[in-house]
Amino acid sequence: MSSSSGFDAQIASRLTRIALSHVRREQPNTIVHAPPKSVHPIFFGSFDWHSCVHSYWLLATILRMYPRIGEAPAIAALFAEAFAKEVKPSS
């Protein structure tokens, strides 16, 4: 898949590697004075949680657009680890 914007599988692969390299890496956080993972259990990576959310969105979009990309297994593994199925409380 390619578009007139030039976004193709090669660029998607590059962006994927960048996002995967930082979404699970805790960064120092001087605003809260607590480990980032304790404040934002999923979105603790990147420079701040907001950037991490954007990186997860990027990875999800790339996986949707290029499901056979070489990094697809790494994205799937990250999502499986980061997101849990919703568990409904028993009545």
Side-chain angles (χ1 to χ4, degrees):
M1 173 182 255
S2 183
S3 69
S4 60
S5 67
F7 186 74
D8 59 15
Q10 185 177 3
I11 292 171
S13 182
R14 239 173 96 201
L15 291 172
T16 298
R17 288 192 305 273
I18 291 168
L20 286 172
S21 74
H22 67 77
V23 294
R24 304 303 274 165
R25 183 180 346 133
E26 285 192 73
Q27 300 290 331
N29 186 333
T30 57
I31 297 171
V32 179
H33 300 293
K37 193 171 184 177
S38 70
V39 179
H40 301 288
I42 294 175
F43 304 119
F44 63 85
S46 306
F47 180 71
D48 61 3
W49 71 267
H50 188 251
S51 299
C52 195
V53 169
H54 279 285
S55 293
Y56 271 91
W57 175 85
L58 171 72
L59 293 169
T61 301
I62 288 173
L63 189 59
R64 179 182 53 82
M65 292 176 69
Y66 301 99
R68 292 186 183 97
I69 195 169
E71 294 82 8
I75 297 171
L78 171 69
F79 288 176
E81 178 186 328
F83 301 111
K85 287 185 175 182
E86 182 179 346
V87 178
K88 294 183 181 183
S90 58
S91 309

